[in-house]
């Protein structure tokens, strides 16, 4: 944390902002939570906000905006083509990333759609440090294959490796030798690996990957959706970078890459996305598709208000006391859980705290969806909504059996600057209770299962009456408490 020490010993994450607008929350009683999770088919995506106390599903489109961002929305220049807002946003991106061309898109996956259509052909490979759900789907739809070249430590839940998101560069070199550079559509590094716990990539790794890409003439693409957290970790964990400014680190990453795309639902705290590149030919190729899928080149499916606020949000992202807010709260939460002996992914990453459901519910059979069951149990015990990132989020094997995920995580996202320390402490308190009573938690089974991306709309039921027993124990221990 930035240079603030405490007299009483205990270090606490400190907000460098104050709250000036609030939204009322309700915590419904456990009897209602039992009903709500049943109505939602034990799928937290299908819960309604009115039944949720703390929404830790995601950081997408729900980070708090600053007063300056909201004020800027009133100055947005509405026009279909050539709006001054577009010019301001583009100038800000050029200033920060130093790349000449900007293609706006309505969100991150829309940028992925354009990239996959442009670069990927039947039979091509896209090596990456780790996949993201929508990225993989777009590469596959265009006939390509995603190869994940992470290092073994990436999937180790208990680790002190500061950069578990690094790509295995030996594996990358071997792949290029085996398949040939022309079979590789592009190399993708995801800043802050979403699906393995928001684990960062070191600047040294960006440099090594860039060198390999350039010497083989392969485009090097950075998914910068979670870049803000990654910048914080490079600055605080990488010895060689501790004297660099956030602006310098950002510019260095941009210089190493050929193209950067991002979801502005995360980066910049608005709702939108985009692509930047300095390659004229790539720009023209992408530009020809933009009006078909997104909108004219000066809005790309976004509202100009969001674009105006994005320019301000990107500038604010260059402030180390702004971008540390997510990571220091997550670090606090993870460290508290570790102190209590609760299985959680370490070291703390960006995006959120990730409970290790494989270990938390080791008594539940793997086929009964440990991370999903933990998500239901936590909601019942606390009104906190997390997101299953485990076997339910995988597709079935071709023979119809479940593909058991390598990691079973319950992600508790901490949208940036949204929750207070008390709310984090409440969540830790309820997780601790749940851990002490984990033997009461049982498994889940599908009763409605969509064929693809089943985690969004699938419905499950408990394999026994464990949820009633858990609620009864809650009443026994907590009386009439909410
Ligand atoms: C969220 C996310 C995306 C997709 O962005 P959307 O705006 O949700 O479409 C792509 N990559 C990463 C790493 C993400 O976290």
């Amino acid at each position: 944390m930035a240079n603030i020490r405490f007299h009483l010993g205990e270090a606490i994450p400190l907000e460098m902002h104050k709250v000036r607008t609030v939204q009322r929350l309700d915590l419904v009683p456990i009897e209602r939570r039992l009903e709500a999770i049943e109505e939602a088919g034990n799928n937290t995506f299908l819960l309604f906000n009115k039944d949720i106390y703390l929404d830790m599903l995601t950081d997408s489109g729900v980070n708090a905006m600053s007063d300056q961002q909201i004020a800027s929305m009133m100055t947005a220049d509405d026009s279909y083509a050539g709006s001054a807002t577009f010019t301001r946003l583009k100038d800000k991106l050029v200033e920060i990333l130093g790349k000449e061309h900007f293609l706006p898109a309505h969100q991150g996956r829309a940028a992925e759609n354009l990239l996959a259509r442009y670069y990927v052909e039947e039979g091509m490979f896209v090596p990456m440090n780790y996949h993201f759900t929508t990225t993989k789907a777009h590469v596959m739809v265009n006939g390509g294959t995603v190869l994940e070249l992470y290092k073994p430590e990436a999937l180790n839940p208990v680790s002190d490796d500061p950069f578990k998101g690094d790509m295995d560069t030996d594996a990358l070199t071997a792949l290029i030798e085996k398949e040939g550079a022309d079979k590789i559509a592009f190399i993708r590094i995801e800043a802050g690996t979403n699906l393995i716990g928001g684990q960062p990539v070191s600047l040294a790794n960006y440099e090594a990957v860039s060198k390999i890409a350039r010497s083989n003439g392969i485009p090097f693409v950075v998914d910068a959706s979670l870049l803000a957290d990654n910048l914080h970790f490079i600055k605080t964990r990488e010895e060689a970078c501790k004297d660099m400014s956030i602006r310098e680190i950002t510019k260095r990453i941009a210089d190493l890459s050929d193209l950067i795309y991002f979801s502005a639902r995360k980066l910049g705290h608005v709702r939108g996305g985009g692509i930047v590149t300095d390659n004229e030919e790539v720009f023209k190729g992408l530009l020809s598709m933009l009006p078909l899928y997104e909108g004219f080149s000066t809005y790309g499916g976004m509202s100009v208000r969001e674009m105006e606020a994005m320019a301000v949000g990107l500038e604010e992202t260059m402030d180390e006391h702004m971008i540390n807010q997510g990571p220091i709260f997550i670090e606090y939460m993870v460290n508290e859980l570790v102190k209590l002996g609760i299985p959680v992914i370490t070291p703390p990453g960006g995006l959120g705290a990730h409970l290790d459901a494989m270990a938390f519910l080791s008594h539940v059979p793997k086929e009964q969806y440990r991370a999903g069951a933990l998500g239901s149990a936590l909601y019942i015990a606390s009104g906190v909504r997390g997101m299953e990132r485990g076997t339910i989020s995988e597709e079935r094997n071709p023979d119809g059996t479940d593909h058991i995920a390598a990691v079973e995580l319950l992600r508790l996202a901490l949208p940036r600057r949204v929750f207070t320390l008390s709310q984090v402490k409440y969540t830790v308190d309820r997780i601790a209770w749940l851990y002490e009573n984990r033997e009461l938690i049982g498994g889940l089974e599908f009763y409605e299962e969509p064929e693809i991306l089943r985690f969004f709309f699938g419905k499950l039921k408990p394999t026994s009456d464990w949820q009633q027993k858990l609620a009864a124990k809650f009443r026994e221990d907590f009386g009439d408490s909410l």
Side-chain angles (χ1 to χ4, degrees), residues 205-274:
N205 195 248
Y206 285 98
E207 279 169 357
V209 172
S210 172
K211 202 167 159 204
I212 296 171
R214 297 222 157 129
S215 64
N216 288 282
I218 304 169
F220 177 29
V221 170
V222 172
D223 177 344
S225 305
L226 302 180
L227 181 69
D229 295 339
N230 201 162
L231 292 168
H232 164 80
F233 290 123
I234 288 175
K235 171 120 182 122
T236 55
R237 292 183 183 174
E238 198 165 349
E239 187 55 32
C241 304
K242 69 178 200 311
D243 295 325
M244 290 172 80
S245 68
I246 296 299
R247 225 173 258 280
E248 284 164 346
I249 300 169
T250 309
K251 183 67 174 26
R252 182 83 190 116
I253 292 173
D255 287 346
L256 290 166
S257 69
D258 298 306
L259 181 147
I260 297 176
Y261 77 91
F262 57 94
S263 166
R265 298 177 64 83
K266 293 117 185 203
L267 186 68
H269 296 198
V270 290
R271 285 135 296 250

Side-chain angles (χ1 to χ4, degrees), residues 76-380:
D77 178 26
D78 259 314
S79 78
Y80 189 94
S83 97
T85 293
F86 172 77
T87 308
R88 281 193 281 274
L89 174 56
K90 187 185 156 184
D91 289 350
K92 183 51 70 182
L93 284 160
V94 172
E95 175 199 316
I96 292 175
L97 301 171
K99 301 216 183 289
E100 201 184 333
H101 301 295
F102 168 51
L103 299 120
H106 78 273
Q107 63 184 102
R109 69 199 67 185
E112 290 171 340
N113 173 40
L114 297 174
L115 293 183
R117 283 174 184 275
Y118 180 77
Y119 283 115
V120 180
E121 286 165 30
E122 196 66 37
M124 281 186 144
F125 297 99
V126 182
M128 47 186 77
N129 51 342
Y130 209 77
H131 82 280
F132 183 69
T133 49
T134 55
T135 327
K136 189 172 177 177
H138 280 297
V139 169
M140 284 169 65
V141 162
N142 286 280
T145 304
V146 166
L147 297 171
E148 296 173 299
L149 309 182
Y150 50 83
K151 38 181 202 182
E153 198 60 13
L155 300 188
N156 183 4
V158 183
S159 170
D160 53 14
D161 185 333
F163 293 105
K164 278 161 72 175
D166 280 358
M167 180 179 265
D168 179 343
T169 48
D170 291 338
L172 180 62
T173 308
L175 172 76
I176 298 169
E177 271 169 27
K178 179 163 170 262
E179 301 293 345
D182 52 352
K183 284 292 273 298
I184 299 183
F186 58 89
I187 299 169
R188 172 179 174 273
I189 286 283
E190 179 178 315
T193 55
N194 191 322
L195 299 188
I196 53 169
Q199 297 293 322
V201 178
S202 63
L203 187 59
N205 195 248
Y206 285 98
E207 279 169 357
V209 172
S210 172
K211 202 167 159 204
I212 296 171
R214 297 222 157 129
S215 64
N216 288 282
I218 304 169
F220 177 29
V221 170
V222 172
D223 177 344
S225 305
L226 302 180
L227 181 69
D229 295 339
N230 201 162
L231 292 168
H232 164 80
F233 290 123
I234 288 175
K235 171 120 182 122
T236 55
R237 292 183 183 174
E238 198 165 349
E239 187 55 32
C241 304
K242 69 178 200 311
D243 295 325
M244 290 172 80
S245 68
I246 296 299
R247 225 173 258 280
E248 284 164 346
I249 300 169
T250 309
K251 183 67 174 26
R252 182 83 190 116
I253 292 173
D255 287 346
L256 290 166
S257 69
D258 298 306
L259 181 147
I260 297 176
Y261 77 91
F262 57 94
S263 166
R265 298 177 64 83
K266 293 117 185 203
L267 186 68
H269 296 198
V270 290
R271 285 135 296 250
I275 300 171
V276 298
T277 182
D278 42 21
N279 184 316
E280 186 80 28
E281 189 189 324
V282 173
F283 169 66
K284 285 191 175 145
L286 294 168
L287 185 62
S288 67
M289 292 187 280
L290 197 62
L292 179 59
Y293 295 109
E294 297 302 304
F296 190 69
S297 61
T298 57
Y299 73 93
M302 272 184 283
S303 111
V304 285
R305 295 189 177 187
E306 298 287 336
M307 289 166 69
E308 195 73 49
M310 194 197 298
V312 176
L314 289 169
E315 174 58 32
E316 291 175 352
T317 300
M318 296 296 104
D319 172 2
E320 63 184 281
H321 300 298
M322 187 283 220
I323 58 174
N324 74 357
Q325 293 295 311
I328 63 176
F329 271 74
I330 292 162
E331 182 181 12
Y332 176 86
M333 184 168 174
V334 168
N335 289 345
E336 290 301 300
L337 293 166
V338 168
K339 275 191 230 161
L340 294 163
I342 295 166
V344 61
I345 299 298
T346 56
L351 217 181
H354 296 71
L355 296 179
D356 176 7
M358 196 84 94
F360 200 116
L361 296 185
S362 56
H363 63 282
V364 173
K366 282 186 188 162
E367 297 70 29
Q368 293 182 12
Y369 311 118
R370 290 179 191 174
L374 187 56
S376 289
L378 180 62
Y379 171 73
I380 292 168

Side-chain angles (χ1 to χ4, degrees), residues 441-462:
I441 305 173
L444 298 175
E445 61 189 342
F446 272 102
Y447 67 89
E448 248 182 68
E449 185 179 346
E451 252 176 56
I452 46 164
L453 297 177
R454 60 183 181 172
F455 64 90
F456 280 127
F457 303 119
K459 292 191 163 183
L460 303 97
K461 58 178 195 285

Side-chain angles (χ1 to χ4, degrees), residues 371-479:
L374 187 56
S376 289
L378 180 62
Y379 171 73
I380 292 168
S382 65
V384 172
R385 161 157 84 165
M387 187 195 288
E388 193 268 3
R389 297 273 78 159
T391 299
I392 296 176
S393 300
E394 298 280 341
E395 310 290 327
R396 279 189 186 270
N397 296 317
D399 68 0
T401 56
D402 249 321
H403 176 77
I404 304 293
V407 286
E408 288 280 347
L409 305 180
L410 180 66
R411 172 171 101 187
L412 301 172
L414 292 189
R416 294 157 192 89
R417 301 186 296 197
V418 170
F419 295 131
T420 63
L421 189 58
S422 339
Q423 291 169 329
V424 170
K425 283 182 178 231
Y426 164 80
T427 308
V428 169
D429 180 89
R430 287 300 188 258
I431 296 170
W433 178 82
L434 211 51
Y435 192 60
E436 280 166 32
N437 292 285
R438 63 188 177 282
E439 292 299 331
L440 291 174
I441 305 173
L444 298 175
E445 61 189 342
F446 272 102
Y447 67 89
E448 248 182 68
E449 185 179 346
E451 252 176 56
I452 46 164
L453 297 177
R454 60 183 181 172
F455 64 90
F456 280 127
F457 303 119
K459 292 191 163 183
L460 303 97
K461 58 178 195 285
T463 51
S464 68
D465 63 349
W466 65 262
Q467 299 188 331
Q468 279 68 29
K469 289 192 174 129
L470 188 69
K473 184 69 167 51
F474 181 97
R475 279 281 166 253
E476 201 182 306
D477 289 356
F478 293 115

